[in-house]
């Protein structure tokens, strides 16, 4: 319920001109209240004016938008384009305004990108867009006098691609004089960059303070690049690391070690072991057959998040995972793309048993879990009392098997989210798994709807209306991919064109 103070704030910000004319007469402790009211009502002019006159030492967006006694609604998932651009414009106005010397920190981290925006305009400014707006603002202010006598530290989660690389580099480069804004980067996501561009932007972003690094999709790294990145740059504060597909493949010019030892992987593992705060590691779609112990055993801090999807793990890898010191601390685990229950049933269920007291999110997509495995899965999952999300898309399970599994999942007290596959009953007989994108979408919608209703009824009969069950055919919504899909498509087409040109050139040389 909104307080009388907040209702009054909403009434005031609904008259932008009145607010702007009286900002100097407003008590400092009312600025946070007015800010949230202006953000809620999308009064961008008021938002900008408030920031330009901000009288406090800190502006922390997530703190201002979270629930409070005046307004219990959480606005941290509203990445409203108009409001966020107004915030940045207000910061720029602030540094150019003579006599404005109180604001020292502007923190834009901690907000959440979601699929559907609840703000009036419905237009989102995602992480890539926020990075571009911040970089553009920094570039525009370069060379301007720093009237406050000190720079404002702007904390932001950066997302850098080829499309905004030049602007980001210009914004991060040290200027000849004191810059009005100093960008602090606790987390960075990189896509569609060359290895050289990645090294450059990391060097400028302040790797010593970086907490989270995501290098994804179209950054083409091999093990030599990864070793160079970790050894040369150094990430003493890093807690979370994501590496792209094939990041552990040997460089093209690397000769095999006669003794069979992977010296690059050993070196990478040593560099990772120097990161005393690393607790999250994602290396999906890298071939790591027989190498998991080499990679993970040197780590000094137990991992809480581990993504090994489609890493071609073998029995030795699974045995190490089941018994290593990381397992009892795991909160998020992704082992998609492995035939776990068929090839390594006892090892896999030993792993689940070791992780049962901490595991919150388990992803087992395209693991060839069939109807005959459901009873084993029920036994394996039953001790996982902390499990909140279970995702198992792409497995050939029938409607009846799903009903049995759902009945058992209702017993997990903290479970809130299930992603289940389209039942195999809905596909033509003889459908081949794993399915490609074309095949996965060709199913009997009427049959699916009937089975989905039955599964929902299972939840209702167990009084588990708190569990959301869905079948996102092509995976969960990824705001970063959604925002940069056009650029990624262009990048892939260019890469395909280059590959064809190289192939054609090679044919000509053979002739």
């Amino acid at each position: 319920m909104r307080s009388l103070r907040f209702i009054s704030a909403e009434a005031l910000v609904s008259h932008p001109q009145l607010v702007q004319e009286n900002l100097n007469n407003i008590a400092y402790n009312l600025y946070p209240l007015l800010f949230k009211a202006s953000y809620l009502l999308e009064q961008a002019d008021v938002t900008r004016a408030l920031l330009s006159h901000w009288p406090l030492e800190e502006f922390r967006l997530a703190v201002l938008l979270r629930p409070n006694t005046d307004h219990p609604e959480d606005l941290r998932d509203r990445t409203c384009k108009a409001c966020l651009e107004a915030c940045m414009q207000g910061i720029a106005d602030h540094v150019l305004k003579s006599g404005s010397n109180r604001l020292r920190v502007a923190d834009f981290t901690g907000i959440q990108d979601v699929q559907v925006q609840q703000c009036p305009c419905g237009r989102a400014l995602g992480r890539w867009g926020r990075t571009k707006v911040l970089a553009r603002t920094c570039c525009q202010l370069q060379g301007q006098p720093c009237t406050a006598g000190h720079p404002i530290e702007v904390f932001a989660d950066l997302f850098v691609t080829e499309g905004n690389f030049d602007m980001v580099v210009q914004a991060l480069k040290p200027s000849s004089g004191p810059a009005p804004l100093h960008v602090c980067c606790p987390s960075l996501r990189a896509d569609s960059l060359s290895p050289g561009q990645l090294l450059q932007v990391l060097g400028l972003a302040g790797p010593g303070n970086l907490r989270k690094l995501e290098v994804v999709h179209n950054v083409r790294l091999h093990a030599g690049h990864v070793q160079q990145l970790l050894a040369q740059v150094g990430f003493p504060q890093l807690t979370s690391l994501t590496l792209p597909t094939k990041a552990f493949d040997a460089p093209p010019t690397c000769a095999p070690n006669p003794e069979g030892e992977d010296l690059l992987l050993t070196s990478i593992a040593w560099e990772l072991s120097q990161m005393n705060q690393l607790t999250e590691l994602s290396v999906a779609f890298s071939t790591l057959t027989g190498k998991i112990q080499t990679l993970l055993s040197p780590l000094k801090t137990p991992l809480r998040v581990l993504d090994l999807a489609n890493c071609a793990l073998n029995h030795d890898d699974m045995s190490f995972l089941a018994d290593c010191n990381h397992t009892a601390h795991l909160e998020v685990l992704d082992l998609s793309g492995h035939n776990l229950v068929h090839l390594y049933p006892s090892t896999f269920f030993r792993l689940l048993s070791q992780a049962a007291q901490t595991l919150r999110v388990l992803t087992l997509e395209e693991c060839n879990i069939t109807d005959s495995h459901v009873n084993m899965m029920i036994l394996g999952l039953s001790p996982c009392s902390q499990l909140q999300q279970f995702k198992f898309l792409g497995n050939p399970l029938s409607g009846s098997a799903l009903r049995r599994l759902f009945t058992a999942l209702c017993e997990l007290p903290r479970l809130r989210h299930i992603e289940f596959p389209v039942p195999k009953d809905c596909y033509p007989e003889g459908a081949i798994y794993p399915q490609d994108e074309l095949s996965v979408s060709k199913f009997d919608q009427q049959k699916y709807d009937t089975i989905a209703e039955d599964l929902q009824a299972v939840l209702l009969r167990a009084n588990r209306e708190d569990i959301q069950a869905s079948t996102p055919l092509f995976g969960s919504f990824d705001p970063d991919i959604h925002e940069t899909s056009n650029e990624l498509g262009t990048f892939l087409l260019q890469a395909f064109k280059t590959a064809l040109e190289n192939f054609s050139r090679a044919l000509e040389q053979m002739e």
Side-chain angles (χ1 to χ4, degrees):
M1 183 176 177
R2 296 174 301 164
S3 70
L4 184 59
R5 275 171 29 110
F6 195 84
I7 295 172
S8 301
E10 286 183 290
L12 180 57
V13 300
S14 298
H15 299 83
Q17 187 175 351
L18 182 63
V19 176
Q20 294 175 58
E21 290 173 353
N22 290 278
L23 278 174
N24 292 329
N25 302 320
I26 294 175
Y28 290 179
N29 64 345
L30 292 179
Y31 270 72
L33 186 73
L34 291 171
F35 176 83
K36 188 173 185 182
S38 70
Y39 200 97
L40 174 68
L41 299 180
E42 206 177 283
Q43 292 288 349
D45 290 341
V46 176
T47 301
R48 178 174 180 173
L50 288 168
L51 264 294
S52 70
H53 289 74
W54 198 255
L56 309 174
E57 290 190 358
E58 295 185 352
F59 168 82
R60 298 191 182 274
L61 183 61
V63 173
L64 294 167
L65 297 182
R66 69 187 180 188
N68 55 43
T69 53
D70 287 305
H71 186 261
E73 186 179 353
D74 192 343
L75 303 184
R76 286 174 292 184
D77 61 354
R78 290 197 183 188
T79 54
C80 173
K81 186 175 188 293
C83 291
L84 290 172
E85 287 180 342
C87 287
M88 197 53 63
Q89 290 163 349
I91 295 289
D93 295 341
H94 187 98
V95 301
L96 296 175
K97 185 170 171 285
S98 61
S100 300
N101 57 7
R102 299 237 350 161
L103 184 61
R104 293 180 178 272
V105 174
D107 187 351
F108 288 91
T109 65
I111 54 177
Q112 182 183 2
D113 295 295
V114 295
Q115 188 168 6
V116 179
Q117 283 296 311
Q118 299 299 322
C119 58
C121 72
R123 294 182 302 151
L125 188 67
R127 180 161 42 158
W128 187 89
R130 297 194 294 272
T131 300
K132 186 175 181 180
V133 170
L134 172 59
R136 184 174 63 230
T137 303
C138 290
C139 293
Q140 291 170 346
L141 292 174
Q142 283 175 351
Q144 295 287 343
C146 190
T147 57
H150 59 80
I152 296 175
E153 291 189 329
V154 182
F155 288 82
D157 299 320
L158 301 186
F159 181 9
V160 186
T161 67
E162 179 69 35
N164 63 6
F165 172 78
D166 291 335
M167 190 179 294
V168 171
V169 166
Q170 183 182 342
L172 294 176
K173 272 184 178 178
S175 58
S176 54
L181 300 182
H182 173 63
V183 178
C184 303
C185 177
S187 79
L188 186 144
R189 179 183 174 98
D191 199 353
S192 304
L193 298 179
S194 69
Q197 288 174 319
L198 175 63
L199 281 171
Q200 184 180 2
V201 78
L202 280 171
L204 293 171
N209 296 314
L210 198 63
R211 305 284 292 171
K212 183 175 184 178
L213 174 61
E214 299 172 272
V215 187
V216 298
H217 305 118
N218 293 310
V219 181
R220 306 303 171 87
L221 300 184
H222 53 60
H225 293 135
V226 174
Q227 193 278 335
Q228 179 187 15
L229 175 72
L230 299 180
Q232 290 187 7
V233 179
F235 304 97
Q237 303 295 319
L238 202 68
T239 63
S240 177
L241 174 63
T242 298
L243 293 173
T245 301
K246 299 182 178 180
F248 291 94
D249 285 7
T253 57
C254 182
N257 188 295
E259 298 179 3
E261 184 181 2
D262 191 333
L263 297 178
L264 271 177
L265 184 67
T266 302
S267 178
I268 290 169
W270 187 87
E271 295 294 345
L272 292 175
S273 73
Q274 303 307 298
M275 302 177 190
N276 294 326
Q277 299 188 44
L278 186 69
T279 58
E280 301 181 8
L281 183 63
S282 176
V283 291
F285 292 93
S286 287
T287 303
L288 290 169
T289 310
K291 299 178 179 180
I292 291 300
Q293 184 170 356
T294 302
L295 179 65
L296 299 185
S297 60
L299 301 186
K300 297 170 184 174
T301 307
L303 294 174
R304 293 187 298 103
V305 177
L306 181 60
D307 185 351
L308 295 173
N310 297 281
C311 287
L313 305 184
N314 64 14
H315 187 270
D316 290 342
D317 297 319
M318 290 301 301
S319 295
F320 171 78
L321 285 175
D323 299 321
C324 71
N325 66 320
H326 301 289
T327 306
H329 300 269
L330 285 175
E331 297 177 20
V332 180
L333 177 63
D334 190 340
L335 290 173
S336 298
H338 297 100
N339 202 341
L340 300 167
V341 188
H342 179 68
L343 295 180
Y344 324 114
S346 61
T347 309
F348 171 58
F349 291 121
R350 188 166 79 250
L351 186 157
L352 279 185
S353 175
Q354 294 292 328
Q357 298 308 307
T358 56
L359 196 61
R360 295 184 295 104
V361 181
L362 177 63
T363 305
L364 301 174
E365 297 179 357
E366 296 185 349
C367 286
N368 198 29
I369 300 171
T370 66
D371 289 13
S372 62
H373 300 136
V374 167
N375 288 338
M376 285 192 290
M377 285 297 301
I378 291 172
L379 288 173
L381 290 170
S382 59
C384 299
S385 58
Q386 305 302 310
L387 196 65
Q388 297 174 18
Q389 296 183 37
F390 181 38
K391 306 175 184 180
F392 57 108
L393 298 168
N395 288 290
L397 291 164
S398 68
S400 59
L402 286 170
R403 280 188 284 272
R404 283 158 47 212
L405 185 55
F406 265 56
T407 301
L409 291 175
C410 289
E411 301 299 319
L412 299 177
R414 295 183 180 273
L415 191 66
R416 296 293 181 271
H417 184 80
I418 300 172
E419 289 185 5
F420 66 95
V422 174
K424 67 177 183 181
D425 323 44
C426 303
Y427 288 108
E429 191 159 345
I432 298 174
Y433 288 80
Q435 299 168 300
D436 56 35
E437 288 191 5
L438 183 61
S439 301
V440 76
S441 59
K442 291 184 175 180
F443 61 91
D444 188 320
Q445 184 69 49
Q446 188 173 358
K447 277 187 181 179
Y448 170 82
D449 292 340
T450 300
I451 295 173
E453 287 177 9
D454 289 346
L455 296 176
Q456 191 63 39
V458 171
L459 299 178
L460 292 175
R461 284 194 297 271
N463 294 318
R464 293 305 306 269
E465 297 92 339
D466 55 341
I467 296 178
Q468 290 186 334
S470 62
T471 306
L473 281 181
F474 304 110
S476 303
F477 174 73
D478 187 322
D480 295 314
I481 292 177
H482 178 76
E483 186 181 18
T484 57
S485 57
N486 290 337
E487 182 181 346
L488 294 181
T490 302
F491 185 93
L492 288 172
L493 285 173
Q494 183 59 46
F496 182 63
K497 179 183 175 185
T498 302
L500 286 178
E501 289 173 351
N502 292 339
F503 180 67
S504 177
R505 197 176 299 115
L507 287 176
E508 290 173 1
Q509 290 173 354
M510 290 175 63
E511 292 173 356

